[in-house]
Each structure stands twice: as structure tokens, then as C-alpha cells.
Amino acid sequence: MARFALHALLVVCVLTSGCSLFGPDYTREDRAVEALENATSTHSATDTYRFESHMTVTSAADGRTERVDIALTGTVDVAARTLRQEAIRDSESRRTFVVNRTVYRECAPPWDGWAVEESDDTVQWVNRTPAVRQLSLLESGSLYWNGTETVDGDRAVVLTGEPSSDALTEYQDDQSRPLFGGPRIDGVELRAWIDADTKRLLRTELRFTVSNRDNSATATMETTFSDYGESVSIDVPSEARTNQYNLGCPGE
């Protein structure tokens, strides 16, 4: 359904519409910067992992309020330059595959087929993977060290960031389309739990609000990362290679 497509895109694309967020004065604590650099370096050398996300978007427009919950699961193989992701809302599921620079997106009913596009070849492939992309949000703007906590039995360093507008622009997905013209984004915060020993991401929480005229939305995305270095298998369905749309999915 079209509404599902819009809400699924909201969390990843509404951050990218060129809005003004914060002033020029940022606080970046030394310990937090060091932890971020270690985690980014570690993930750049990590071959495989899995991730799970839960997104909640509550929107208000034209006097109506709607809540949408979306689950994401995915597998990344950096060494093979392949990625698989599945987004699920209620009983509706849509898959995305990335093989090197080719992106296959499953189209929503009532259309069959897959949208096939080529991603930007000027960006290193690993920098488009979920863990590295979320860490990249913390590379500018304020960044704080919040001590350590225990996550599933592992000691984790906790970082809290307020991403800058430049970082949010860099977070743009190749397939993103802005839903509103020039929205205002407020209250953006990303918290990251990084394994104190392995320097790998264990968990992130991204929160923000967006508004434009009388329309507004609040969004949260909680992601866990696991199975680092485990064997994975990512196979693109045969229909994705034969039943294709070269100009995006119909209705988008």
C-alpha cells in the first residue's frame, strides 16, 4: 500500500531535506570521540553481521493522528559487498538487496516486480552499511560520553550525539525521497552502545521530530547488531533479476 511505503521511507529520508538544526557551537568530549573513532575503524574492518530494527512513526496531519510500527531485519556481508534487508508492517513485507552497487527494491502491491537502480560509486561500499552509517551520524555535532552499561552481559560504552545538519544530509539513502518540502527537524538524538572490549556496536536508538506547516511526525528507531563474523548467505531472488522497473516502483 502507498501509505506503508511513505511511512517506511519517513524514518530514513525525512532527515535529509536540507533543514537547519543546530548552531555552530558543539560539545565533543574527548573520550566519546576516541570511542567513536575506535568503533568506526572496527566496523570498517568487519566482514559480516546481522541487524534488527524496530521503527515507530506517529504522524499528525489534517487533524488526524496515525501510528505505524515497522520491523526491519537484515544481513550484511562487507567482504562480498552484499546486503539483505526486509521491512515488515503487519502482514506486508518488502525486501531490499544490495549487490555491489546495484540496489534491488521489491515493489508494493498491487504491482509485481523490483525497482533496480545503481548507487553512487563515489562512496566506499562499507560506508553505506547500517552500522557505519549510524556511526557516521555522530561524526559531527555534539557528542557525549555517558559512562558504561551492561548489554546482554557485555560491558558497553554509551555515547549520546546530537547530529549536525551536515551529518544528517550524509545519512541520505540513495532511494530516499523527501515527504515534505523543507521540513523542520527538532530533538534529534542518537544513543549508541559500543562493546567496551570488541569496539563493535551492540545497540542504537535514534529519535527525532519533524514538522512542516500543520503536519508533524515523531519517530524512533531502535537497532541491535549481532552475529559478527558469522557465516552468512545472501541470495537475490531470480525474479528480481528478470521482472524489473528501471525508473523506480510504480506509484512512487
Side-chain angles (χ1 to χ4, degrees):
M1 64 182 67
R3 181 171 294 175
F4 169 65
L6 289 176
H7 282 290
L9 285 173
L10 174 60
V11 175
V12 294
C13 77
V14 79
L15 298 176
T16 67
S17 301
C19 52
S20 175
L21 282 173
F22 305 106
D25 297 326
Y26 303 122
T27 299
R28 295 185 66 81
E29 297 181 348
D30 291 342
R31 289 190 300 176
V33 171
E34 181 181 2
L36 174 62
E37 290 175 347
N38 289 336
T40 301
S41 177
T42 296
H43 278 276
S44 295
T46 297
D47 284 343
T48 62
Y49 61 90
R50 292 182 172 86
F51 64 94
E52 295 185 9
S53 298
H54 181 264
M55 299 185 291
T56 300
V57 180
T58 303
S59 60
D62 302 323
R64 299 175 55 188
T65 300
E66 181 179 7
R67 169 173 169 160
V68 175
D69 292 286
I70 302 168
L72 292 174
T73 61
T75 304
V76 179
D77 188 338
V78 177
R81 296 164 67 95
T82 57
L83 180 150
R84 179 190 189 277
Q85 177 177 287
E86 183 174 11
I88 303 171
R89 179 200 170 193
D90 298 328
S91 59
E92 185 175 338
S93 171
R94 292 177 63 188
R95 295 166 290 173
T96 299
F97 291 85
V98 181
V99 179
N100 198 5
R101 298 290 178 181
T102 305
V103 181
Y104 303 86
R105 292 188 297 118
E106 188 174 19
C107 297
W111 295 279
D112 294 324
W114 296 69
V116 181
E117 302 175 38
E118 296 298 317
S119 63
D120 186 357
D121 61 2
T122 64
V123 179
Q124 291 186 359
W125 198 91
V126 68
N127 291 340
R128 296 193 178 278
T129 57
V132 175
R133 289 183 64 206
Q134 291 205 30
L135 288 171
S136 72
L137 282 174
L138 301 176
E139 291 178 353
S140 61
S142 293
L143 182 63
Y144 304 94
W145 170 282
N146 293 121
T148 60
E149 296 180 5
T150 300
V151 178
D152 295 330
D154 297 316
R155 187 170 69 93
V157 171
V158 185
L159 305 182
T160 301
E162 299 170 350
S164 69
S165 56
D166 287 343
L168 295 173
T169 300
E170 289 297 323
Y171 192 67
Q172 180 174 351
D173 184 88
D174 288 338
Q175 320 311 320
S176 297
R177 302 291 185 269
L179 298 184
F180 308 121
R184 174 182 174 84
I185 301 177
D186 298 291
V188 182
E189 180 182 277
L190 176 65
R191 290 174 62 85
W193 287 258
I194 300 169
D195 190 295
D197 296 322
T198 66
K199 317 304 181 187
R200 291 168 172 166
L201 267 181
L202 300 175
R203 177 185 173 195
T204 60
E205 290 183 0
L206 175 65
R207 303 174 184 274
F208 65 91
T209 62
V210 60
S211 59
N212 185 53
R213 298 185 179 90
D214 296 329
N215 300 332
S216 65
T218 60
T220 63
M221 181 171 69
E222 300 180 356
T223 305
T224 58
F225 302 87
S226 62
D227 296 337
Y228 287 102
E230 298 294 327
S231 177
V232 300
S233 177
I234 302 174
D235 297 314
V236 178
S238 59
E239 61 267 24
R241 300 185 185 276
T242 58
N243 188 6
Q244 299 181 347
Y245 298 101
N246 293 323
L247 298 177
C249 292
E252 292 187 350

